[in-house]
Amino acid sequence: MIIDCDPGHDDAFALIVASKFAEILGVTTVAGNAPLDLTTKNARIILDICGAAGVQLHSGANRPLVAEPIHAAYIHGESGMDGATFSPPSRPVDGTDAVHFIIDTARSNPGAWLVPTGPLTNIALALRVAPDLVSTISGISLMGGGRFGNRTASAEFNIWCDPEAASAVFDSGAKIVMSGLHLTHQIMATSARIEMVRNAHATVGPKLAGLLEFFSKTYKSLHDDFEGAPLHDVCAVLALTHPQLFGASERHVAVEIDGAITRGMTVIDDRHVIARGKANTRVLETIDSDAAFSAIVEAIKACP
Ligand code: BDR
Ligand code: CA
């Protein structure tokens, strides 16, 4: 898989899980939770932590296609990954042209999956430049959208950040696997689970627990009924490495780009009518969250 991310606390855990259970062909970064220089620095840090410093890392788009860039310090802190102190990253980026890295890597590894866990800017640009990717890749397992929003009542953050890019990706013809909010809110970093993370690894465990404590604190301060932060982005990786943990339905999904109060909404066609839109997306509906969390802990234990 090629992981396109904006670390981001939950992106960090997605990278750790992928480094244990998947073959990472490369990591690309995009502006989202924080500006591009910070999401890229955070990716460098996490690749060190999971012993994947040799994995190719390329930075990409520093802003959405059309929308103004807006970040999420209110959730992730100013660094994009507040809550722990890390050593400076050991490795530089390998390049600053994520779009062409995605294209070249996907073409030379037929059947690869793209796994975006941030705004879809890099992915949309890659598909625009190289529409042949649609038939070269196995598909796109993304975290985004859902049956309700978080940034607005109808729009989830990753899709809301760059709705034009998201619309192009859902309409591309690629097979989409969607980890939306109605799924990711089923796997929360509760206090008990944060302790499992702390105890999973002598050095890395306490730092990762610190990340989850910060992430959960911001989530709890903004919601009236959350036990902790949802580990959104891990789901997009686990959907491929542990598909048996998920229930799903096949649906047509489109992204609203014009709505005054629905811009960035993923419109899931749940109608029972025969004339409903042809399915373009495997919408993940349920997750065995205890088993998924065990996989996360196993991945942390495998860190060097
Ligand atoms: C998504 O937005 C970011 O805050 C998270 O990293 C995740 O990708 C959830 O809406
Ligand atoms: Ca993310």
Side-chain angles (χ1 to χ4, degrees):
M1 59 175 68
I2 301 168
I3 303 177
D4 184 66
C5 56
D6 64 336
H9 296 74
D10 50 332
D11 303 77
F13 284 83
L15 287 170
I16 291 167
V17 168
S19 75
K20 163 72 177 163
F21 294 110
E23 182 192 355
I24 305 179
L25 298 170
V27 174
T28 53
T29 53
V30 65
N33 287 326
L36 182 67
D37 58 335
L38 292 176
T39 60
T40 305
K41 179 183 175 195
N42 293 339
R44 292 162 63 208
I45 289 170
I46 296 301
L47 289 176
D48 274 349
I49 280 188
C50 49
V55 167
Q56 286 276 309
L57 172 64
H58 295 254
S59 60
N62 65 2
R63 54 155 299 147
L65 296 182
V66 177
E68 288 301 313
I70 299 179
H71 309 298
Y74 59 99
I75 294 280
H76 297 274
E78 289 299 332
S79 73
M81 221 168 63
D82 278 13
T85 306
F86 295 99
S87 309
S90 71
R91 46 90 46 86
V93 290
D94 298 294
T96 56
D97 187 353
V99 171
H100 282 94
F101 173 77
I102 291 168
I103 294 168
D104 294 344
T105 307
R107 281 181 177 158
S108 52
N109 293 275
W113 280 88
L114 306 185
V115 181
T117 61
L120 288 159
T121 322
N122 289 337
I123 304 296
L125 288 168
L127 292 172
R128 172 61 59 90
V129 174
D132 57 288
L133 291 197
V134 166
S135 48
T136 308
I137 59 174
S138 282
I140 302 172
S141 178
L142 60 86
M143 190 283 134
R147 290 205 157 78
F148 49 83
N150 56 8
R151 190 59 178 76
T152 72
S154 52
E156 179 279 330
F157 177 78
N158 289 340
I159 307 294
W160 174 87
C161 271
D162 197 341
E164 282 77 12
S167 176
V169 169
F170 275 93
D171 288 353
S172 67
K175 175 180 170 184
I176 310 280
V177 178
M178 174 176 154
S179 293
L181 294 175
H182 60 274
L183 175 90
T184 65
H185 284 191
Q186 296 171 41
I187 175 161
M188 302 238 180
T190 60
S191 302
R193 285 176 174 165
I194 293 173
E195 289 318 300
M196 288 166 69
V197 167
R198 192 186 313 283
N199 296 325
H201 193 290
T203 52
V204 168
K207 289 183 189 294
L208 296 178
L211 288 185
L212 289 183
E213 278 175 334
F214 180 92
F215 194 32
S216 286
K217 196 168 139 223
T218 58
Y219 257 90
K220 286 199 230 175
S221 73
L222 294 169
H223 298 82
D224 51 22
D225 59 348
F226 273 31
E227 286 183 88
L231 293 172
H232 308 279
D233 293 341
V234 186
C235 298
V237 172
L238 288 172
L240 303 179
T241 59
H242 296 67
Q244 71 280 9
L245 303 184
F246 295 84
S249 47
E250 303 294 330
R251 292 286 185 268
H252 184 268
V253 180
V255 176
E256 175 61 83
I257 55 174
D258 293 320
I261 55 172
T262 52
R263 181 166 154 80
M265 178 180 183
T266 46
V267 179
I268 303 170
D269 193 344
D270 279 321
R271 291 177 297 170
H272 289 217
V273 294
I274 291 162
R276 66 183 169 273
K278 186 171 177 295
N280 61 352
T281 301
R282 186 168 178 77
V283 179
L284 300 179
E285 307 284 8
T286 58
I287 181 170
D288 178 341
S289 70
D290 284 335
F293 206 81
S294 295
I296 295 169
V297 169
E298 198 183 335
I300 294 167
K301 285 184 176 162
C303 289

